Amino acid sequence: VTNQGDFSWYSFACAIAKEFKFDTERIKPVSTEHYNHLFMGCCAERPWYSVLDCSKYHRDAGTQLPSVIDGLKEYLGNYQVTPDNQER
């Protein structure tokens, strides 16, 4: 079961950066082909587009989960950025 919405890893990283008011310009998308090339074929073949379908959960539970962004905000809500845990 997962939150509603679909995100790439790039979009997810940008959403996290925005929550902490970090500059998202430093985050660059990387294609699967490029990543696989960088790590010498370490990756399994991936479909071009795949998202989890939680429609059966929503139907059976009678509820919808929050969006990815809302879930992220809730998760990060108590996290404090300090000089000790902020990457430079």
Side-chain angles (χ1 to χ4, degrees):
V1 178
T2 185
N3 292 83
Q4 294 184 58
D6 57 328
F7 265 65
S8 66
W9 284 111
Y10 167 74
S11 299
F12 192 58
C14 286
I16 292 168
K18 286 177 187 174
E19 284 302 307
F20 287 114
K21 299 181 180 18
F22 291 157
D23 179 14
T24 58
E25 291 296 316
R26 295 182 60 196
I27 302 170
K28 304 294 181 206
V30 176
S31 69
T32 300
E33 293 81 16
H34 184 68
Y35 182 86
N36 202 13
H37 174 73
L38 289 174
F39 294 97
M40 297 180 280
C42 72
C43 304
E45 296 258 346
R46 304 276 190 242
W48 285 106
Y49 180 77
S50 65
V51 293
L52 296 174
D53 178 7
C54 295
S55 59
K56 289 181 183 178
Y57 171 81
H58 296 157
R59 182 195 66 221
D60 294 347
T63 186
Q64 299 260 339
L65 293 172
S67 71
V68 172
I69 294 296
D70 290 343
L72 178 64
K73 287 179 180 181
E74 181 182 341
Y75 178 78
L76 297 176
N78 295 322
Y79 190 84
Q80 298 294 318
V81 177
T82 66
D84 294 334
N85 65 14
Q86 180 179 355
E87 185 178 329
R88 302 200 190 283

